[in-house]
Amino acid sequence: MTALPPTDENLTRDGLAPTVEKGQVLILACGALANEIIAVIRQNKWDHMTLTCLPAILHNTPDQIPAAVEDALLKHQKDFDQIFLAYADCGTGGALQSICDAHGIQMIQGPHCYSFFEGTEGFLDRAEDEIDTFYLTDFLARGFENFVIKPLGLDRHPELRDMYFGHYTRLVYQAQTNNPALDKLAQDAADRLGLRYERRFTGYGDLETALASVD
C-alpha cells in the first residue's frame, strides 16, 4: 500500500485530498485525522481501505461540514462497496448523523475528536470537571498558528486572547504519538495562551476501534 504524506496545504485549501490508494472501503475523513488514520491502516494492514480527506479548515465553519460531506458521499459512493465517515459530530448538531442515516453509512460516535482520542465514555464522564480545559491533538499542536491563532486574529490583535480564552485555566495536549517536538509545540501553545499545561498520551483511542468495526 502506498500513501501520499498529508500536508497542511493539501488538507486545508484543496477539496478532497486522497492519501491512500484505492480499496473496497472508502474512509471519508476530516483532514485533521489523516496522519492518524494512515498510521492505523498501515499498522493493521487494512489494504482494502482507501482514505480521502476533506479540508481540516472546515472545522472553523462547522455549518459547512454536512454539505461538504454529502457532496463527497454522492461523488464517491458508486466507486466503493462501503463508505465510513471518519468524523464525530464536530459541532454539526446531529446533521452528520442524519446524513449517515440517509445514506446508510456508519460514522465515529462522539461529539468531537477530543472525545474519541481519549475514549468517548471516559471523556464524557469527565466533561463537567473539565469545562475550563482547552484541548490540543497532534494535528492542532502542529498547526496551532494556522488553525487557532490566525483564524481568531490573535496574530494581529493579541489583546483578544483573554476574550477568547479567559474562561480556560488549562491546556490539555492529547498526544497520539510520543514526539518531543510536538510536546514542545503544545507547551508553547499553552504558554502563549497563558494556560496551565498538561500532557496526556491517548494513542488513537476509539479511532482504531471504530475503523476496525468497518466490515
Side-chain angles (χ1 to χ4, degrees), residues 2 14-15 20 22 33 37 41-42 46 49 53-54 58-59 61 74-76 80 82 95 129 138 145 156 164 172 207:
T2 60
D14 293 350
V20 178
K22 189 170 181 178
L33 302 177
I37 294 175
I41 288 174
R42 286 176 166 171
W46 290 333
M49 291 184 175
C53 292
L54 290 170
L58 281 171
H59 274 289
T61 52
L74 294 173
K75 178 179 179 179
H76 291 282
F80 293 89
Q82 184 178 355
D129 295 329
D138 281 12
E145 189 74 21
R156 304 179 303 280
Y164 288 121
V172 170
L207 175 64

Side-chain angles (χ1 to χ4, degrees), residues 59 88-91 108-117 120 123 135:
H59 274 289
D89 182 73
C90 300
I108 301 176
Q109 296 304 304
H112 40 60
C113 60
Y114 310 125
S115 69
F116 64 68
F117 276 134
T120 295
F123 182 90
Y135 298 94

Side-chain angles (χ1 to χ4, degrees), residues 55-194:
I57 200 68
L58 281 171
H59 274 289
N60 289 347
T61 52
D63 58 305
Q64 296 179 20
I65 294 175
V69 165
E70 188 156 40
D71 286 348
L73 289 174
L74 294 173
K75 178 179 179 179
H76 291 282
Q77 62 185 1
K78 65 182 183 300
D79 297 322
F80 293 89
D81 298 327
Q82 184 178 355
I83 297 178
F84 179 85
L85 185 61
Y87 274 84
D89 182 73
C90 300
T92 67
L96 284 182
Q97 185 63 64
S98 295
I99 288 172
C100 287
D101 292 344
H103 290 272
I105 67 172
Q106 297 174 270
M107 64 180 283
I108 301 176
Q109 296 304 304
H112 40 60
C113 60
Y114 310 125
S115 69
F116 64 68
F117 276 134
E118 281 208 25
T120 295
E121 184 176 351
F123 182 90
L124 293 178
D125 285 344
R126 292 190 299 273
E128 188 172 338
D129 295 329
E130 298 194 349
I131 197 168
D132 61 345
T133 299
F134 183 74
Y135 298 94
L136 290 186
T137 61
D138 281 12
F139 179 86
L140 283 175
R142 196 163 43 238
F144 185 71
E145 189 74 21
N146 289 330
F147 283 86
V148 179
I149 295 297
K150 289 181 179 179
L152 293 178
L154 296 176
D155 55 328
R156 304 179 303 280
H157 300 286
E159 70 276 6
L160 295 176
R161 183 192 68 176
D162 290 345
M163 183 180 78
Y164 288 121
F165 295 97
H167 62 291
Y168 292 109
T169 63
R170 174 177 56 173
L171 182 149
V172 170
Y173 168 39
Q174 298 174 324
Q176 283 74 69
T177 56
N178 287 308
N179 185 326
L182 290 181
D183 293 348
K184 176 64 164 56
L185 289 174
Q187 176 72 71
D188 289 346
D191 292 344
R192 192 166 182 181
L193 298 179

